[in-house]
């Protein structure tokens, strides 16, 4: 889709670059990249193409959205980021939260995801229930990512690969454990582990295993397991699309 990005002032662009540096240091020091990536994703993944509501527009700062079941624990991310955000009052929360997600991928060794500023903050959070449910299969993934958000099958598999970062916490999601043996490194090991099968101490969710059972998804899993560069290229494209849902529509 062709995008028409809004023009931002030189002062705003400088604030983006400065905030990016601050976020790099902070996320690396606190080892909180997985949490920041989840914040960016859960902010953006509420977008609904049919009603043009939800999306990456800063509403995660509201208690009502933080109270959604799928966002358990994200209040920690919002609180951690607030002292940095206060240094850059010119930036929208919408841009700031998406910038944190982009930096989280970069500082853990992942691809550089392009970032375009200019998102405006929205005054109200979206309705609950738009984010994917880890207990579901392929039909549900397509319903949420393709029908609701307007993304593709390839985007679903590439974005799933970000589970290379982080772990599940029982008190947040009902699941416990990490997907890979090094959950602070962004690489293609999510896919290699998925193809290896279940291992003691590592996690595979129903929504992960579903990728192996689908005739379109599985070849992409195999491709990314064999070729990290291909995964990084498709991931960067998919993350960019996710982070700009409903933004700069031409």
């Amino acid at each position: 889709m062709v995008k028409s990005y809004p023009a931002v002032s030189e002062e705003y662009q400088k604030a983006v670059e400065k905030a990016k540096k601050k976020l790099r240091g902070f996320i690396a020091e606190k080892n909180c990249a997985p949490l920041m990536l989840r914040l960016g994703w859960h902010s953006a993944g509420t977008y609904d193409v049919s009603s043009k509501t939800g999306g990456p527009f800063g509403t995660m700062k509201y208690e009502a959205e933080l109270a959604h079941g799928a966002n358990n624990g994200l209040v920690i991310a919002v609180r951690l980021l607030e002292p940095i955000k206060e240094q850059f009052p010119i930036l929208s929360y919408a841009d700031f939260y998406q910038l944190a997600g982009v930096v989280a991928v970069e500082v853990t060794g992942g691809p550089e995801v392009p970032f375009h500023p200019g998102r405006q903050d929205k005054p109200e959070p979206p309705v609950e229930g738009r984010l994917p449910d880890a207990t579901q299969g392929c039909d549900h993934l397509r319903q949420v990512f393709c029908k609701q958000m307007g993304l593709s099958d390839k985007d679903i598999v590439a974005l799933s690969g970000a589970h290379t970062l982080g772990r599940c916490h029982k008190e947040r999601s009902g699941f416990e454990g990490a997907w890979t043996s090094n959950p602070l490194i962004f690489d293609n090991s999510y896919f290699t582990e998925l193809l290896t099968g279940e291992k003691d101490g590592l996690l595979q969710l129903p929504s992960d295993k579903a990728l192996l059972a689908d005739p379109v998804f599985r070849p992409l899993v195999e491709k990314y397991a064999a070729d990290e560069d291909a995964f990084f290229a498709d991931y960067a494209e998919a993350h960019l699309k996710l982070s700009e849902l409903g933004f700069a529509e031409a």
Side-chain angles (χ1 to χ4, degrees):
M1 180 184 285
V2 178
K3 291 278 185 180
S4 177
Y5 296 109
V8 298
S9 67
E10 189 181 342
E11 184 190 6
Y12 195 97
Q13 189 61 53
K14 276 186 179 161
V16 168
E17 294 310 315
K18 271 185 153 174
K20 196 172 188 182
K21 284 184 177 144
K22 294 265 186 197
L23 286 167
R24 276 190 191 123
F26 179 79
I27 292 171
E29 181 206 354
K30 296 281 188 199
N31 281 337
C32 63
L35 187 63
M36 296 307 162
L37 183 57
R38 186 167 163 245
L39 175 70
W41 275 38
H42 282 221
S43 298
T46 57
Y47 188 67
D48 176 61
V49 285
S50 55
S51 64
K52 298 204 179 323
T53 57
F57 299 106
T59 53
M60 194 63 85
K61 68 182 180 202
Y62 296 120
E63 283 181 16
E65 188 165 349
L66 286 169
H68 292 179
N71 294 333
N72 270 345
L74 283 180
V75 65
I76 300 165
V78 167
R79 283 181 189 151
L80 281 172
L81 287 176
E82 194 54 32
I84 300 176
K85 174 65 181 77
E86 284 170 0
Q87 297 172 45
F88 302 100
I90 191 173
L91 297 182
S92 67
Y93 277 89
D95 277 345
F96 187 65
Y97 289 162
Q98 291 310 313
L99 187 62
V102 163
V103 170
V105 173
E106 181 199 314
V107 299
T108 48
E112 281 191 39
V113 178
F115 179 81
H116 305 100
R119 296 165 189 76
Q120 301 286 316
D121 288 336
K122 285 187 177 177
E124 282 180 27
V127 296
E128 188 168 3
R130 291 185 178 175
L131 293 167
D133 175 353
T135 66
Q136 302 282 327
C138 298
D139 290 348
H140 170 75
L141 290 173
R142 287 192 170 97
Q143 169 64 35
V144 172
F145 283 95
C146 303
K147 202 164 175 213
Q148 178 200 297
M149 295 186 211
L151 299 175
S152 69
D153 279 358
K154 185 174 82 172
D155 295 331
I156 290 175
V157 182
L159 289 170
S160 296
H163 279 156
T164 185
L165 287 187
R167 58 187 301 115
C168 280
H169 303 267
K170 207 167 203 60
E171 70 277 12
R172 295 181 195 170
S173 64
F175 294 97
E176 184 68 45
W179 288 269
T180 67
S181 52
N182 198 335
L184 288 171
I185 297 292
F186 196 105
D187 57 19
N188 68 337
S189 58
Y190 167 82
F191 298 107
T192 56
E193 292 291 2
L194 198 54
L195 289 170
T196 305
E198 296 200 53
K199 267 190 205 164
D200 270 358
L202 292 185
L203 177 72
Q204 290 190 1
L205 299 172
S207 54
D208 300 319
K209 293 176 191 168
L211 300 180
L212 297 179
D214 185 89
V216 178
F217 292 154
R218 184 174 181 116
L220 287 163
V221 171
E222 290 169 346
K223 175 183 174 183
Y224 297 151
D227 186 345
E228 190 175 75
D229 291 343
F231 165 50
F232 275 23
D234 288 354
Y235 177 83
E237 183 187 318
H239 184 141
L240 175 65
K241 281 163 75 173
L242 176 68
S243 73
E244 295 185 348
L245 290 173
F247 168 58
E249 304 292 347

